[in-house]
C-alpha cells in the first residue's frame, strides 16, 4: 500500500496536536498512535442501528482488499459526470473511513471523526450535498477542509444494502465551492446503486466459487450421497445444471428450471440441443462445446431471445460432463444501458461546446489545454442594421430570427470544415486551420464568407428584411485553448484575432474586407478591389482589400455555385 505524500510545512510549536492530527490523517491505521487531544469517534453522530450496520459491512468481506477495476470504473464515471477532480467509494468502519476506490487523492483512509460520509449515511435515502464546507458548521474546522486536500464541495450518495443498511458513500469532491444539476445528482444515485450491485455480485461470485469447489471435491472423492447433492443444488441461489458428455441433463436445480421455464423432471435425461433447438448455432452452443473440447472453463454474457433474459453463464468442464451456473442479469443490463445513455448525453453536450479533438483530450486530462497555431485564418462577421431591427421586434421573434441566421451559418461552418468559436450578440466568429491543421484554411474562410452573404441575401428575400453583413478576415498566428471551470469555452487569442476584428469594424456594410496577409494567399484565386490604406484603431493605417468573388475557372469547380 502506498503512503500519502507528507506535507512540507513548518511545525506550529504552539499547537503540536493539530499538526499531528493533520499528518496522522494521511497514514494507514497501522501506523497511527493515540493523540491526547484527538477527538473521539463517539463525537460523530451514529446511525440508530450502528451495531447491525457494522455487521452488514463485515458480511461483505471487502475492507482492506486490493483495488478492483469494476469499482474504479464507477469512481471515474462519477467524477466525469459531476466534473470533480476527486471521487471516492468510502466505507465507514468502527473508527475510520476506508476507501475501496479513490481518484484524486493518495490516502487509503481517514479517521472517522473527519469523515463527511459519516454524516451522509445518517440519511440513507438522500444525497448529502455540501456546496461550501467553509460555510457549514459541521465541517468548517475539519482538517480535511483547513488543510490538504482543502475540501470545499462534497456530494455523497449513501451505499445502501438490500436490507437497508448504509455502509458508506459514493462521493465526489472539489476544492472549490460548486453545485450539481438534478441530472448529475440522479446519475450519482444510480452509480451508488451500481456500487452496491457490484458488491453483491462480488459476494455472490465468492460464494459461487466456494460452492463449486465444495461440489467438485465431493464429486471427485465420491463421498456424498445423492440426497446431499440434491440438497446442495436446491440451496443454491443461482441457476445450476449439469450435462453428461452426450449433452443430456443429469441435474438441474429449481432456479435453473425456472429460467428455462420447465419443470426439472421434464429436462432430466433430455438432450439440450433437441430440447432447446433455438440455441443451436448460438453463442451458448459454441461456448459449451469449447469448454468440453478444450477442458477449460468459459464465462460469457448473452441474451437468450426465446427466454427473454440476459444471462451470465459460467461453465466448468469435468471428466463426467459440464457444470453450468446461470445468473439472470436483466437488471444489471438495464443499469448499464442507462449509464451508457447518460455518458452519451454528456459527451454530446461536450461536443456542442468544444471541438471534438479538444473534448476528447479534456475527458482524459483536466489540466489547462492551450496550443500555438502558426497560421490560421479568422473571420469576424457583424449584422448591420440588426440593432435597429431588434427595437421593432418582440424578444421571442428577435431570438428566433437570430437563431435562424446563425443556424444557417453553423451549417456552412460544418460544410466548409471550419471551427465556430462563438457568437457575441449579433456578431459571429469562425476560424479555419484549428484545432485540426489544414493548408487551405484561407480558401475555406473565403468561401465561407461568400456563402454567408448568399445565405443572408436569401433570408432578406424570404423575410422582407434589409440586413447586411460586414465581414473582416485576417490570416496569422494565434493561441487557442479551453478556459473556465464550470462552463468550458474554446477561444482564440493573439494580434491576428484583433486585426481580423479591426478589418470587420472598418469595413463596408455588405462587403468582405481582408488584410494584406489574407490577400496575398488568395489573390490568384479570387477577385479583389483594393481600398488603399485604411486607418485601423490601435494599428495606424494598413492596406485592405474587398473580396468580390471567385475567379471564373475556380468558381466552376466549387458547387453549389455553378458557372452559367
Amino acid at each position: 500500500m502506498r503512503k500519502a505524500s507528507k506535507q512540507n510545512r513548518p511545525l506550529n510549536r504552539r499547537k503540536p496536536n493539530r499538526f499531528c492530527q493533520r499528518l496522522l490523517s494521511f497514514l494507514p491505521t497501522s501506523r497511527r498512535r493515540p493523540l491526547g487531544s484527538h477527538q473521539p469517534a463517539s463525537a460523530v453522530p451514529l446511525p440508530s442501528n450502528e451495531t447491525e450496520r457494522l455487521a452488514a459491512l463485515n458480511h461483505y468481506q471487502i475492507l482492506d482488499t486490493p483495488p478492483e477495476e469494476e469499482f474504479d470504473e464507477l469512481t471515474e464515471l462519477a467524477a466525469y459526470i459531476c466534473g470533480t477532480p476527486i471521487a471516492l467509494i468510502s466505507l465507514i468502519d468502527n473508527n475510520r473511513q476506508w476507501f475501496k476506490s479513490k481518484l484524486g487523492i493518495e490516502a487509503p483512509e481517514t479517521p472517522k471523526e473527519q469523515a463527511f460520509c459519516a454524516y451522509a449515511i445518517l440519511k440513507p435515502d438522500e444525497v448529502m450535498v455540501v456546496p461550501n464546507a467553509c460555510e457549514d458548521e459541521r465541517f468548517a474546522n475539519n482538517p480535511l477542509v483547513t488543510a490538504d486536500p482543502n475540501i470545499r464541495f462534497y456530494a455523497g450518495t449513501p451505499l445502501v444494502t438490500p436490507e437497508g443498511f448504509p455502509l458508506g458513500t459514493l462521493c465526489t469532491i472539489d476544492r472549490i465551492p460548486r453545485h450539481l444539476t438534478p441530472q448529475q445528482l440522479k446519475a450519482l444515485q444510480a452509480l451508488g446503486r451500481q456500487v452496491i450491485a457490484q458488491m453483491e455480485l462480488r459476494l455472490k461470485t465468492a460464494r459461487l466459487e466456494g460452492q463449486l469447489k465444495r461440489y467438485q471435491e465431493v464429486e471427485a472423492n465420491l463421498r456424498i450421497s445423492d440426497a446431499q447433492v440434491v440438497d446442495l443444488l436446491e440451496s443454491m441461489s443461482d441457476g445450476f445444471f449439469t450435462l453428461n458428455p452426450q449433452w443430456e441433463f443429469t441435474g438441474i436445480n429449481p432456479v435453473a428450471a425456472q429460467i428455462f421455464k420447465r419443470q426439472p423432471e421434464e429436462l432430466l435425461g433430455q438432450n439440450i440441443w433437441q430440447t432447446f433447438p433455438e440455441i443451436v448455432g448460438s453463442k451458448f452452443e459454441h461456448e459449451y462445446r469449447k469448454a468440453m473440447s478444450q477442458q477449460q472453463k468459459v464465462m460469457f454474457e448473452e441474451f437468450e431471445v426465446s427466454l427473454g433474459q440476459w444471462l451470465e453463464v459460467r461453465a466448468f468442464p469435468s471428466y463426467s460432463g459440464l457444470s453450468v451456473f446461470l445468473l439472470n442479469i436483466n437488471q444489471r443490463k438495464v443499469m448499464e444501458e442507462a449509464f451508457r445513455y447518460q455518458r452519451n448525453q454528456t459527451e454530446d453536450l461536450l461536443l456542442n461546446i468544444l471541438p471534438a479533438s479538444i473534448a476528447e483530450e479534456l475527458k482524459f486530462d483536466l489540466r489547462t489545454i492551450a496550443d500555438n497555431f502558426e497560421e490560421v485564418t479568422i473571420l469576424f462577421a457583424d449584422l448591420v442594421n440588426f440593432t435597429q431591427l431588434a427595437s421593432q421586434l418582440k424578444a421571442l421573434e428577435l431570438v428566433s430570427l437570430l437563431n435562424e441566421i446563425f443556424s444557417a451559418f453553423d451549417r456552412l461552418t460544418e460544410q466548409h470544415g471550419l471551427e465556430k468559436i462563438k457568437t457575441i450578440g449579433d456578431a459571429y466568429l469562425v476560424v479555419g486551420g484549428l484545432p485540426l491543421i489544414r493548408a487551405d484554411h484561407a480558401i475555406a474562410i473565403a468561401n465561407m464568407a461568400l456563402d454567408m452573404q448568399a445565405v443572408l441575401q436569401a433570408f432578406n428575400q424570404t423575410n422582407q428584411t434589409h440586413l447586411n453583413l460586414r465581414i473582416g478576415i485576417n490570416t496569422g498566428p494565434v493561441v487557442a485553448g479551453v478556459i473556465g471551470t464550470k462552463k468550458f469555452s474554446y477561444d482564440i487569442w493573439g494580434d491576428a484575432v484583433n486585426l481580423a476584428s479591426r478589418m470587420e469594424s472598418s469595413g463596408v456594410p455588405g462587403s468582405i474586407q481582408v488584410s494584406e496577409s489574407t490577400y496575398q494567399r488568395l489573390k490568384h484565386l479570387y477577385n479583389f478591389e483594393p481600398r488603399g490604406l485604411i486607418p485601423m484603431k490601435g494599428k495606424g493605417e494598413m492596406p485592405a482589400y474587398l473580396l468580390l468573388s471567385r475567379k471564373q475557372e475556380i468558381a466552376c469547380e466549387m458547387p453549389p455555385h455553378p458557372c452559367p
Side-chain angles (χ1 to χ4, degrees), residues 12 41 47 84 137 151 155 199 204-205 214 236 255 317 321 378 489 498 510 512-513 524 536-537:
N12 186 336
T84 60
E137 63 181 5
I151 296 175
M199 291 174 62
K204 287 183 178 180
T205 299
R214 290 194 298 273
M236 287 185 178
V255 177
I378 308 110
S489 174
N498 297 332
I512 305 167
Q513 182 165 272
H524 300 299
M536 302 285 173
K537 182 179 178 181

Side-chain angles (χ1 to χ4, degrees), residues 404-432:
E404 183 177 349
I405 296 173
F406 281 0
S407 294
F409 291 171
D410 288 346
R411 289 189 290 272
L412 289 176
T413 298
E414 185 174 355
Q415 174 185 328
H416 290 290
L418 302 171
E419 189 64 44
K420 173 186 173 182
I421 300 301
K422 59 186 172 183
T423 60
I424 309 172
D426 57 1
Y428 194 92
L429 172 58
V430 64
V431 62

